[in-house]
Amino acid sequence: MTSLVIRRPDDCHLHLRDETALRAVLPFTATRFARAIVMPNLKPPITTTELALAYRKRILAALPPGVSFEPLMTLYLTDQTTPQEITRAQASGTVHGAKLYPAGATTHSDAGVTDVRRIDAVLERMAEVSMVLQVHGEVTDPDVDMFDREARFIDEVLAPLAERHRTLRVVFEHITTRAAVQFVASGRKGIAATVTPQHLLMNRNALFEGGLRPHHYCLPVLKAEADRAALLAAVAGGSERFFLGTDSAPHARAAKETACGCAGIFSAHAGIELYAEAFEAAGALDKLEGFASCHGADFYGLPRNTGTLTLTREPWEVPQHYPFGADELVPLRAGERIAWRIAAARGAPA
Ligand code: DOR
Ligand code: ZN
């Protein structure tokens, strides 16, 4: 097969940042995806409906002329979030989820939740109004091994939370382990997961390939080959519980290539092409459309997009870097080839 036409996809987990960074990265996403679930971990974080609506306006204003793209906004949960704020957010019609960052788990998570029991009333309200909970699933105890933090989170936090709130819809974001695949695949109704391109295409060896590779560092960190294989098998199996969320997370080159580099991989420049490679390797290109364009929309209760995206199997070389305001952005696969490219994109968001 040299060409593939799929329904226009959605990126169900994306970091767009703000201001010059936003203007630099948004076109990559908007040329591929009709919509994206936009993460709220700005500085300061998007903790209220009002902030989410203002951020949405800035995103729309940053779109290149003539490009239609729908940002789907999220709230950043803190120990102070109130059930009333959830009601407001739901009533706005533009906030589609609230994100649980365990405090200290990742980039810009210091204002996050210190103990999930503190937000039980908020989670209860979310279940009532049918708002989706998006979860960064890692425990934050510095004594827990880096590679065990997701599995420990499932047992200690997520499984009990999902039981306490039986009707709450939960997206376990950017899953990285076989344990997470099993939890999601066998979980109760209303549990789903996003999967990134890097966790489908690379294992933790990629962090040390010929030297220390800061541009392969993200959180949750890349895991073992058995974990990668389990993720790929899960998405290739076509279950509607797994869907596309790139977690494209741009950081300036200087913030990555330093003694204490930021976590985050920029992949929006090839946000669907990289998945095509992964699905092709699994012999499951026929499952790409469900994963990229249907399962996420269905889970969020959104109409599926009506346009199409045409991918061609024609390799291209990724630039060494892209402009990023006054700085540079090093994309995933910089200077290397990607097997698929976009031939055409048609149609506005649903
Ligand atoms: O690698 C990551 N980068 N993981 C996250 O959870 C946050 C993200 C970011 O915002 O840079
Ligand atoms: Zn993220």
Side-chain angles (χ1 to χ4, degrees):
M1 185 192 292
T2 56
S3 195
L4 183 66
V5 182
I6 61 169
R7 184 185 290 274
R8 196 81 188 267
D10 297 312
D11 185 347
C12 290
H13 184 126
L14 177 67
H15 297 271
L16 282 176
R17 316 299 192 210
D18 215 341
E19 301 175 348
T20 53
L22 166 64
R23 285 191 286 280
V25 299
L26 179 61
F28 292 110
T29 293
T31 48
R32 291 167 175 75
F33 298 96
R35 301 174 293 203
I37 300 273
V38 181
M39 288 297 124
N41 62 333
L42 301 186
K43 281 226 137 174
I46 303 296
T47 51
T48 66
T49 310
E50 200 184 340
L51 287 170
L53 296 181
Y55 183 28
R56 179 174 182 273
K57 277 196 187 144
R58 296 198 296 282
I59 295 168
L60 292 175
L63 278 172
V67 174
S68 53
F69 169 77
E70 179 66 34
L72 307 168
M73 309 312 293
T74 58
L75 283 193
Y76 183 115
L77 296 173
T78 74
D79 287 353
Q80 280 75 44
T81 306
T82 61
Q84 291 82 348
E85 193 58 57
I86 298 301
T87 305
R88 263 194 294 280
Q90 179 66 15
S92 75
T94 50
V95 176
H96 295 267
K99 178 81 186 272
L100 167 61
Y101 284 105
T106 186
T107 312
H108 301 169
S109 67
D110 28 300
V113 174
T114 57
D115 180 344
V116 281
R117 302 301 301 231
R118 295 199 171 178
I119 59 161
D120 265 338
V122 166
L123 299 178
E124 207 167 297
R125 182 65 58 87
M126 288 176 65
E128 274 163 31
V129 302
S130 200
M131 179 172 288
V132 171
L133 176 71
Q134 298 134 345
V135 180
H136 182 108
E138 290 189 284
V139 294
T140 54
D141 180 347
D143 291 336
V144 174
D145 190 286
M146 192 69 190
F147 296 98
D148 296 337
R149 289 182 188 178
E150 185 174 277
R152 287 279 291 269
F153 185 88
I154 297 169
D155 294 340
E156 293 170 19
V157 183
L158 191 53
L161 183 155
E163 277 311 301
R164 282 201 304 286
H165 302 278
R166 294 276 314 164
T167 58
L168 180 64
R169 285 181 298 145
V170 180
V171 180
F172 193 174
E173 299 288 346
H174 41 54
I175 58 167
T176 64
T177 56
R178 185 162 49 181
V181 167
Q182 281 164 0
F183 174 77
V184 172
S186 64
R188 66 153 169 80
K189 188 168 169 276
I191 291 183
T194 53
V195 188
T196 76
Q198 63 263 27
H199 294 104
L200 290 175
L201 290 165
M202 299 189 287
N203 63 38
R204 60 198 181 190
N205 287 349
L207 286 161
F208 309 104
E209 225 169 66
L212 196 56
R213 302 288 293 266
H215 299 290
H216 290 164
Y217 174 53
C218 64
L219 286 171
V221 74
L222 296 171
K223 299 297 192 303
E225 175 56 19
D227 294 301
R228 187 195 73 85
L231 292 169
L232 193 59
V235 302
S239 159
E240 74 281 1
R241 288 179 176 236
F242 299 97
F243 46 83
L244 186 156
T246 61
D247 198 19
S248 178
H251 291 278
R253 177 198 283 275
K256 296 282 297 173
E257 298 177 7
T258 179
C260 188
C262 291
I265 293 178
F266 179 70
S267 62
H269 65 297
I272 186 76
E273 298 92 321
L274 289 161
Y275 286 105
E277 273 193 9
F279 277 73
E280 183 180 32
L285 273 175
D286 61 320
K287 300 293 195 306
L288 178 64
E289 182 177 45
F291 175 80
S293 317
C294 306
H295 304 165
D298 296 352
F299 188 84
Y300 276 94
L302 297 165
R304 294 178 180 179
N305 298 311
T306 51
T308 59
L309 192 70
T310 306
L311 288 152
T312 323
R313 202 180 189 298
E314 196 186 341
W316 57 289
E317 189 163 318
V318 177
Q320 292 288 357
H321 50 81
Y322 290 109
F324 192 56
D327 221 308
E328 281 177 359
L329 183 57
V330 179
L332 186 54
R333 293 271 178 92
E336 294 170 39
R337 278 147 79 99
I338 291 181
W340 290 81
R341 73 164 73 221
I342 292 180
R346 293 205 178 79

